[in-house]
Amino acid sequence: MKLTSEKLLGIIWDDRFRDISFSHHMIRDISKERIRRFIEIARRKLQFVEIKPELASLDDLLEIHSKDYVNRLKEVSALPYSGYLDGGDTIHYPGIFEDVLLVLGASKTALKFSSYLDFIYVPLGGFHHATYSRPMGFCPINDVAYLVFQLLKRKEKVAIIDVDAHHGNGLQEYLYDKPVLKINIFAYDGKFFPGTGRVEERGEGEGKWLNYNFPLPLSSGDDVFEIALRILDIVEEYDPSYIVVISGVDGHKDDGLKSLELTCNSYNLLGLKVRRLAKSAKVIGYGGGGYGKMSSECMVSFLVGLSGKKEELETPTISNTENIKKAKETLSLLLSFPQHFT
């Protein structure tokens, strides 16, 4: 593929990704199809360097999860049948341990190649619900936490943009007291899964004032999402050396886990915004969640935006006046909070 002086995109890809899903049995096939269609569309529409991921090691896994939990993953992987790791969301199946190491290895590889490329994207990644000792919400591990810890070891200044239909509770738990700017935009009505992400949660210790939660009213459309994206201007002031983005597309209006009314246009806008904010920063992005017929298109549209191109694949959605009002109030509140960036 011809390379230019433009910023270069690398996509971490292994054909094994086509058959990996940790989602509930009812949407597992949809989840796999999203990844399969993504790479086909991406190869048609984008210029990128395709990078094969390495396998992570057991020691890598133990950096982010307890020994007891890692042993459990190994045990269920050896079973001849599938089941659930948690209360009925996150699946286990024969050979899951090897797949987990491949998924975690994608983050390890992304970090390595970020020395040479401006943007790295991991389509099968962004498992932000898992905590140190347990899985949650289709997430058997927390690959993003692993990446961020490695960046902190290298003394990088990190900002996280976590956009998904669901609050990244596990990632917040890992990094709440860490010197990392964390901005989470998600759907919430007081009880929507995972039931976390209060605006008042601002971080503690070295992470004090660095945690921002922006809950969107359920059924919000593209216009509300655009309002929420204004909070990302904080990233520019923070001036990170790395921006880690979870661009989960499960907020699309046709997603199976109904929550928001977004179109692919919103994800394109997110990509454009991240590109503008990046300046000299490296960007490592993750595909996050997505369980609908337009999920693959939304993933690619994010990358189209990241490449600097605006596209409008669908008719923009319009929110009711109450949702617009709530979003503006939340933005005003978050921007009024103290900022102590150094």
Side-chain angles (χ1 to χ4, degrees):
M1 180 174 293
K2 183 180 178 181
L3 301 180
T4 71
S5 60
E6 294 295 316
K7 289 193 173 184
L8 298 179
L9 167 68
I11 294 180
I12 309 296
W13 180 260
D14 190 293
D15 280 343
R16 176 63 192 148
F17 286 175
R18 298 175 183 273
D19 295 307
I20 296 177
S21 172
F22 310 116
S23 303
H24 190 282
H25 282 99
M26 292 181 65
I27 58 173
R28 203 162 173 236
D29 287 342
I30 296 172
S31 179
K32 290 179 182 179
E33 183 64 17
R34 169 177 74 118
I35 300 300
R36 293 169 183 167
R37 291 186 62 246
F38 161 77
I39 196 63
E40 294 168 1
I41 300 171
R43 285 170 175 163
R44 289 199 310 267
K45 291 185 66 172
L46 302 169
Q47 277 198 334
F48 61 92
V49 179
E50 201 166 302
I51 305 165
K52 188 175 179 64
E54 62 189 288
L55 278 178
S57 68
L58 179 61
D59 287 341
D60 293 327
L61 199 52
L62 288 170
E63 286 198 40
I64 51 166
H65 292 294
S66 70
K67 187 173 182 179
D68 285 346
Y69 177 56
V70 171
N71 286 337
R72 184 179 170 217
L73 276 174
K74 292 172 72 174
E75 289 169 2
V76 298
S77 184
L79 296 174
Y81 54 84
S82 63
Y84 292 99
L85 285 165
D86 50 16
D89 285 327
T90 313
I91 197 172
H92 69 74
Y93 52 85
I96 187 177
F97 192 72
E98 289 73 20
D99 286 349
V100 160
L101 292 180
L102 182 62
V103 167
L104 187 60
S107 287
K108 193 172 182 178
T109 305
L111 179 57
K112 185 178 297 183
F113 277 83
S114 69
S115 298
Y116 312 105
L117 300 170
D118 304 287
F119 306 138
I120 305 283
Y121 186 70
V122 184
L124 184 64
F127 297 102
H128 60 175
H129 293 307
T131 66
Y132 179 69
S133 58
R134 69 188 182 99
M136 188 176 182
F138 313 152
C139 302
I141 58 169
N142 201 309
D143 52 344
V144 188
Y146 172 83
L147 173 72
V148 175
F149 284 147
Q150 301 310 306
L151 288 169
L152 291 178
K153 284 182 183 179
R154 289 172 34 167
K155 308 299 182 183
E156 301 288 354
K157 191 174 185 181
V158 183
I160 297 174
I161 298 171
D162 188 345
V163 174
D164 194 273
H166 310 92
H167 178 250
N169 62 299
L171 194 58
Q172 177 174 299
E173 186 175 311
Y174 273 105
L175 301 172
Y176 200 62
D177 61 351
K178 302 296 187 293
V180 176
L181 177 64
K182 302 164 285 288
I183 301 177
N184 206 307
I185 300 173
F186 56 100
Y188 194 55
D189 64 349
K191 56 186 178 181
F192 188 67
F193 181 88
T196 58
R198 291 186 300 113
V199 174
E200 297 78 15
E201 294 168 351
R202 298 302 324 285
E204 61 187 22
E206 290 186 282
K208 192 171 181 63
W209 308 123
L210 294 177
N211 198 76
Y212 289 83
N213 286 321
F214 198 130
L216 304 178
L218 265 60
S219 75
S220 292
D222 291 327
D223 47 1
V224 163
F225 187 76
E226 188 168 358
I227 292 170
L229 287 186
R230 295 178 199 168
I231 193 64
L232 299 187
D233 290 340
I234 292 172
V235 174
E236 188 169 23
E237 182 179 349
Y238 190 66
D239 191 25
S241 57
Y242 271 82
I243 300 176
V244 177
V245 186
I246 301 173
S247 53
V249 296
D250 47 359
H252 189 271
K253 62 186 179 67
D254 297 327
D255 194 82
L257 303 181
K258 195 71 171 174
S259 59
L260 300 173
E261 293 290 325
L262 307 183
T263 68
C264 291
N265 308 341
S266 281
Y267 298 101
N268 177 249
L269 186 61
L270 173 63
L272 287 165
K273 184 88 172 184
V274 171
R275 181 184 176 89
R276 184 181 69 78
L277 294 172
K279 295 184 178 178
S280 60
K282 300 287 187 175
V283 175
I284 298 179
Y286 291 91
Y291 316 95
K293 62 183 181 180
M294 291 294 288
S295 294
S296 309
E297 284 83 356
C298 288
M299 293 169 73
V300 174
S301 198
F302 166 74
L303 294 177
V304 169
L306 196 60
S307 72
K309 299 175 184 176
K310 184 174 182 178
E311 67 175 11
E312 191 169 290
L313 296 182
E314 303 175 274
T315 302
T317 49
I318 300 173
S319 308
N320 62 50
T321 54
E322 182 62 25
N323 284 357
I324 293 173
K325 179 183 177 183
K326 286 181 180 178
K328 288 181 176 179
E329 290 173 349
T330 301
L331 177 66
S332 179
L333 176 61
L334 289 174
L335 290 177
S336 73
F337 286 151
Q339 295 173 19
H340 303 282
F341 299 159
T342 58

